[in-house]
């Protein structure tokens, strides 16, 4: 009698800004609602000048002092999302695998993706909207935190890091790409050159997912 070896469970890890949102970011879309595009562009450029994620958050929180929950929802709904996100996550879960979003963006934006079928979301911890409290700097994630959270998710889901798939687009994903064998650079910049196993340019997550759907990590 032949015994079929059970399929290894996989964990798919998705970045948000520039990956699921093409050519934009949560901070940009939130700022668009407040007519603060020039101001957020200056802050975004700050990363090139060495601005740390926690300092970015402190300054962005000041910019967004008038932000309302309705504007957060409008920013989310109006963002230029890749097509097929819900379908990809549904297929991942139907296959017995898990999926998560890990982002440096505010948790109150990232967690809205739970309604689209992702297993879990992980973003920087911001005060509740409308803001009455300051940024708690230790709660703001950085690139290293993405690796820590990925390891915690592996332990929680019983998945070996060697069986993970990571999707990202920029420098903040480089450390995670360095420890995950199966990686997809999605509309990526030069920081992921040579680090990803697969590369995708386009507007449909289903096409990026197809590169790894039937592969073994």
């Amino acid at each position: 009698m032949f015994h079929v070896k059970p399929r290894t469970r996989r964990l798919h890890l998705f970045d948000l800004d520039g990956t699921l949102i093409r050519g934009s970011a949560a901070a940009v879309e939130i700022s668009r609602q407040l007519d603060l595009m020039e101001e957020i562009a200056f802050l975004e450029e700050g990363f090139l000048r060495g601005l740390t994620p926690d300092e970015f958050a402190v300054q962005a929180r000041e910019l967004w002092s008038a932000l309302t929950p309705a504007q957060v929802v409008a920013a989310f709904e109006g963002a230029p999302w890749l097509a097929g996100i819900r379908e990809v996550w549904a297929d991942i879960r139907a296959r017995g695998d898990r999926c998560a979003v890990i982002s440096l963006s505010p948790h109150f934006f990232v967690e809205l993706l739970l309604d689209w079928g992702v297993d879990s979301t992980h973003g920087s911890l911001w005060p509740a909207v409308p803001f009455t409290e300051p940024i708690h700097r230790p709660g703001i994630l950085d690139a290293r935190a993405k690796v820590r959270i990925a390891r915690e998710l592996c332990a929680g889901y019983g998945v070996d890091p060697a069986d993970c798939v990571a999707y990202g687009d920029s420098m903040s994903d480089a450390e995670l790409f360095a420890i995950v064998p199966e990686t997809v650079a999605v509309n990526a910049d030069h920081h992921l050159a040579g680090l990803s196993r697969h590369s995708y340019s386009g507007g449909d997550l289903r096409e990026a997912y197809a590169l790894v759907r039937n592969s073994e990590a």
Side-chain angles (χ1 to χ4, degrees):
M1 182 177 180
F2 294 99
H3 296 277
V4 178
K5 181 181 178 180
R7 181 178 169 275
T8 301
R9 174 179 284 186
R10 304 176 83 184
L11 171 60
H12 294 253
L13 303 166
F14 295 88
D15 172 55
L16 174 68
D17 299 329
T19 302
L20 297 178
I21 299 178
R22 187 178 185 185
S24 189
V28 173
E29 297 307 314
I30 290 169
S31 298
R32 192 186 309 280
Q33 296 297 316
L34 296 165
D35 196 23
L36 294 169
M37 294 300 288
E38 289 186 9
E39 292 84 349
I40 201 64
F42 180 78
L43 271 188
E44 291 277 336
E45 291 168 3
F47 280 121
L48 301 178
R49 304 189 302 270
L51 191 68
T52 60
D54 61 323
E55 182 59 28
F56 179 96
V58 168
Q59 295 188 33
R61 186 249 186 256
E62 293 305 309
L63 278 181
W64 301 341
S65 59
L67 184 64
T68 67
Q71 288 171 322
V72 174
V73 172
F76 180 87
E77 292 179 347
W81 299 99
L82 291 188
I85 294 174
R86 295 176 183 84
E87 291 84 351
V88 167
W89 290 345
D91 187 77
I92 288 171
R93 297 179 71 174
R95 291 160 66 90
D97 293 337
R98 298 291 188 178
C99 51
V101 174
I102 309 175
S103 173
L104 308 190
S105 287
H107 76 281
F108 57 73
F109 187 97
V110 184
E111 67 187 9
L112 296 176
L113 287 167
L114 290 169
D115 288 340
W116 289 13
V118 71
D119 285 297
S120 63
T121 61
H122 308 267
S124 291
L125 296 179
W126 278 56
V129 179
F131 302 133
T132 59
E133 299 177 0
I135 292 291
H136 180 57
R137 288 179 184 263
I140 303 303
L141 303 184
D142 57 15
R144 187 172 300 176
K146 284 192 171 187
V147 174
R148 172 180 57 79
I149 292 169
R151 293 190 187 281
E152 292 171 355
L153 288 171
C154 284
Y157 290 135
V159 176
D160 191 283
D163 296 313
C164 288
V165 183
Y167 306 76
D169 76 301
S170 66
M171 180 170 56
S172 69
D173 303 302
E175 290 191 37
L176 183 58
F177 272 40
I179 68 162
V180 174
E182 192 78 350
T183 54
V184 185
V186 180
N187 297 315
D189 63 24
H190 68 280
H191 291 101
L192 297 187
L195 292 180
S196 61
R197 178 171 294 183
H198 307 278
S199 182
Y200 171 73
S201 179
D204 196 320
L205 187 63
R206 289 165 293 197
E207 296 172 353
Y209 173 57
L211 298 174
V212 296
R213 184 181 186 273
N214 296 314
S215 64
E216 292 299 327

